[in-house]
Amino acid sequence: MSSLHVTGGRKAFGAVAAMSGVDLTVASGSLVAVLGPSGCGKTTLLRCIAGFERLDAGSIEVGGKVVARPGLHLAPERRRIAVVPQDGALFPHLSVAGNVGYGLDRGARRSGRISETLELVGLAGYEDRMPHQLSGGQQQRVAVARALAPKPPLVLLDEPFSALDAALRAELRRDVRAALHADGATAVLVTHDQGEALSMADELAVMRAGVIVQSGAPADVYRRPADPWVASFVGEAVLLPAAAEGTNALTPLGRVRLTAPQNGHSDAVTVFLRPEQLQLLPAGTSDGVTATVLRRDFHGHDALLLLALPDGLKVSARVFGEAGASPVIGDEVTVTVLGEALAYPR
Amino acid sequence: MRARPVLLAASLIAVAVGLIPLGYLAIRAGEAGWPRIAAEVFTQRTAVLAARSIGLALVVTLACVVIGVGSAFLVVRSDLPWRRGFGVLAALPLAVPTYVAGFSWVSTVDGFSGFWAAALVLTLCSYPYVFLPVAAALRGTDAAQEEVSRALGKGAWRTFTGVTLRQVRPAVAAGALLVALYVFSDFGAVSIVLVDTFTRAVFTAFSLGFDRTGALVLSTVLVVLTVLLLTGEGLTRRKGARYARPGVSRPPTRIALRGLRWPFIAALAAVSALALGMPAASLIRWLSAGVSRPGSLGEIAAATGNSLFVSVAGALLTTLLALPVGLYAARSPGFLSAGLERLTYLGHALPGVVIGLSLVFFGINVAYSLYQTVWLLALAYAALFLPLAVGAVHAAAAQSPPALEDTARSLGRRPLYVFRTITLPLTLPGVGAGAALTVLTCMKELPATLLLRPTGMDTLATELWTHTSVSEYAAAAPYAALLVLIAAIPTWALSREVISA
C-alpha cells in the first residue's frame, strides 16, 4: 500500500520550470528523503504536495485520495498534510502546548495527545514554555510534535535541521527519525545534505533540474548510482575513462572487474569507484599503479587524499587509521582497486 | 508569488483617499487658470514670502546640521562625560511642539519676534531630526573600516573625512530634508513670532480676507517648493545611500577630548538649556498663575475631550486606510507596493495648512455633508499621517510571516480560523501601537485643526494658539503643558528605538 503518489508533477514560475515531470511514490510508514542541490525544485515539490502551490500538470494522491489533478486543487487545510518548515515557524504567541494542540480538536486536546507527542520528541513537561524560551533544537522538536499531533497521513519536513549546528543536528536527526517511526508516520524529508539523507531515510529520491533521477534504498543509491552525476552528488566519486572488455574494464588504475558485463554498442565507458575502494600500499610493494599524493584532507577518523596518476589524471582515495600511518603530500604510493566497479556508457 | 487583487484594490482606494487634498488643490488651481495664477504668483509680495520661507529653511537647516551632527559625534564617538544623559537630552526637544516653544519664548522675552526669533525657535525644536539619524548611523559604522583605512596609511583626519563622514552623509541628508520640510510646513511658531512665511500668509489670506484664490495660489507655490525639495533629496539619495555592512561589526573607538571636554560640555548644556530649560521654566512660571484662575479647569477638560475625540476619529480613519497599504507592502513586496507606500508620504510632506485649506474647499464645493463635521478633519489627519500608520502596519504584518499561516493551514485549519488565531493576535499589538501614536500626533496638529474644526469646537492646540495670539499667557500655559506631555510619549518611543538600537 502506498501513502503518497506524485505522477507527472509539473510546475513553472513564469518561464522558469521548477518541476518538469516528477514521479514519486512513498510507502505507508516509511521516511523518504528527496535529495537535490539548491534550485532543483525539491522545495516546490514539497509545497505542491502540501497544497501551498498549485500544480500545472500531473496529479497527487495521498492515502488513496486524490488531492490535486488537472481541475482539482484541494486547499491545504483539507489535505491534512503536516509540514515542518525550515525555521520551525512556531506560533510565537502560543505556548508549546498551544502550538502542539493547534491542529487538534477539543476532544483530542484533552485526551493527552499533546503530552504524548511531546514525550515522543523528548520534551515531556515543556507544555507551558513559550517558543522564545526554547533553544533552536528544542523549537524544531516542538515543530515536529505539532506536525505529528493530529496523526496526519503524511508529514513533510523542509530542510528542518539546516539552521542548527553540526553536533546538535546529528542527535536531532536520530531523535526525529525515532519519533516518526514510533508514531508510524509517513514522511517526506527534503534536503540538500547527503549525509542527512543517507542517515535518516528509508528510501532516497535524488532530484535534479525538476525531475527525480533515481530512487531506492540509500545503500543501493550509494553503491549503484544511476549516472555519474548522481555518483558524485551522493558521496565522493572516482570516475575513470576506461575501455570495457566483457566483465572487465581497462582503466588508468589497471584492470578492474565490473559488476555487470558491458554489452553496449561501444566499449568506451566511464568506470565509477568510491574513494574507499582505492587501496594504497608503499610504493613498489605490489603490481598496482604508482601515484603521487597531491593533497590531504584530514578528517580525524579518516583522510581523503588526492592522487596524481602517471598520465596526469587525478583521483581521490580514502584512508582509515592513525594519522601517522597514512601517506603525506609528495609521497609515492602504489594504488590497487578493491571490489567491483560500475561502468556507464560514454 | 500569489496575486492579491482584493488587497491591491483596497490599497489603491486608500491611497486615493489620502491624496484627495492634493488632487483637489490641483483641480482648483487648474480651474483658476494660468492668467489668474500668474497675476498672483508674480508679485512682489510672493517674492518676499518666497525669499523669507527659503531663507528661514536655509538658516534653520544649516544650524540644525551643525548642532545635530556635532552633538551626535560627541555623544557617540567621543569620551564626553555623561554622554548617555546628553544623548537623551538631545532627542527630547522633539517633544516640544514648535508653537509651545514659540509661546514660551514670546511669553518670557519682551519683543521676541521676527525672522531670527523664528529661526531660533525652529532650530531648537528641529535639530533632533538631524541628531537622531546621524547618531544611529555613527553607532552603526564598523570600527574595522576605520582601522583598515588607518592601516592603509591614511591619517586620523583623512580617515574621518574619507570613511566616517561619508558613511553618515545619507543620514545627514535625510535629517536635513526633514528639517527643511518642517520649516516649510511650520505654521504655529512663525505665526506666534509674527513672521510672514507662506503658511502664515495662506492662513491669513483665507481666514481674514477670505481671499480664496490668493490662498489657493500661495498653497500651490508651497507645494511646488516642497516637491522641489523632495526631488533634490531623491537625486542625492540615488548616488548610493545604502552601504552594505557585511558580517558582524564592532562598535567604533571613542576619541579622547582631553582639554576640549569642558567647552563641549558647556556647548551641549547651553543648547539643552535653551531648547528644554527655557520652555520648562516658562511653563512652570505661567502654570502656577494659570491653573489657579477660576473656571479654566472646565475649559481644559472640554478641550482635552475634544482633542481626544477628533484625534481618535482621525486615527481610526488613518489606520483603516493604512491597513490594506501596509499589508500589501508586507505581503507582495515589489515595485507596485513600494510605489503605493511612497505615495502616502506625499501628503505627509505637505504643510498642514495646505491640506486643511484644500479640504475646506473640498467640503464647501464637493462634500458639503462632510463640511463642519469631524470627519473632514479626520480626513485631513489621514492625509497628513497616513505614512506613520502604514509603517506601523507594515512592521506588524512582518510579525506574522506567510510561513506561519501556511503551517497553520497544513494543520487542518480554515483561512478564517487561521486569521483569527494566528494573524490577528500577532499583528494587533503593532497596529494598535501605531494607532495610539497616530492619536497623539493628531492631538498636536494645529493648522489643519484650526481650519477644519467644527465651529465652536476647541482643542488643546487651538486653545493654546488662541490664548497666545491675544497674549493670555497664563491661560495658555495649561494647554502647553498638556501638549508637551502628549508629545513626549511618541518622542520617548522613538528615542528608545534609535538610541538603544
Side-chain angles (χ1 to χ4, degrees), chain A residues 15-108:
Chain A
V16 185
M19 283 161 51
S20 27
V22 171
D23 296 303
L24 179 69
T25 300
V26 177
S28 185
S30 74
L31 169 60
V32 169
V34 175
L35 174 68
S38 49
C40 73
K42 56 190 192 300
T43 295
T44 305
L45 169 64
L46 185 132
R47 291 180 59 83
C48 284
I49 297 172
F52 303 148
E53 305 281 355
R54 196 180 278 265
L55 273 186
D56 293 341
S59 67
I60 299 171
E61 201 185 303
V62 178
K65 188 171 126 195
V66 177
V67 298
R69 64 170 153 73
L72 173 82
H73 174 83
L74 224 55
E77 65 270 20
R78 297 185 55 201
R79 301 188 182 192
R80 315 220 54 154
I81 299 172
V83 175
V84 180
Q86 204 161 13
D87 55 357
L90 294 188
F91 307 130
H93 59 306
L94 299 179
S95 66
V96 167
N99 267 283
V100 176
Y102 188 83
L104 297 175
D105 55 33
R106 195 163 295 165

Side-chain angles (χ1 to χ4, degrees), chain B residues 315 319 323 392-393 396 427-439:
Chain B
T319 307
L323 274 174
V393 173
T427 51
L428 215 51
V431 174
L437 279 185
T438 311
V439 170

Side-chain angles (χ1 to χ4, degrees), chain A residues 104-179:
Chain A
L104 297 175
D105 55 33
R106 195 163 295 165
R109 248 177 256 179
R110 290 218 192 96
S111 73
R113 177 66 182 158
I114 293 175
S115 40
E116 186 186 316
T117 39
L118 278 176
E119 204 167 320
L120 219 51
V121 297
L123 287 181
Y126 277 68
E127 281 85 347
D128 295 330
R129 303 277 187 99
M130 294 304 284
H132 67 264
Q133 298 171 309
L134 303 176
S135 70
Q138 288 171 332
Q139 290 186 11
Q140 282 302 1
R141 285 168 194 262
V142 175
V144 171
R146 179 179 63 184
L148 288 177
K151 299 205 165 123
L154 184 63
V155 180
L156 305 175
L157 302 108
D158 184 6
E159 309 215 11
F161 313 114
S162 59
L164 307 173
D165 59 62
L168 196 60
R169 218 182 300 167
E171 184 194 335
L172 195 57
R173 273 180 205 158
R174 276 194 296 274
D175 288 1
V176 167
R177 185 172 196 269

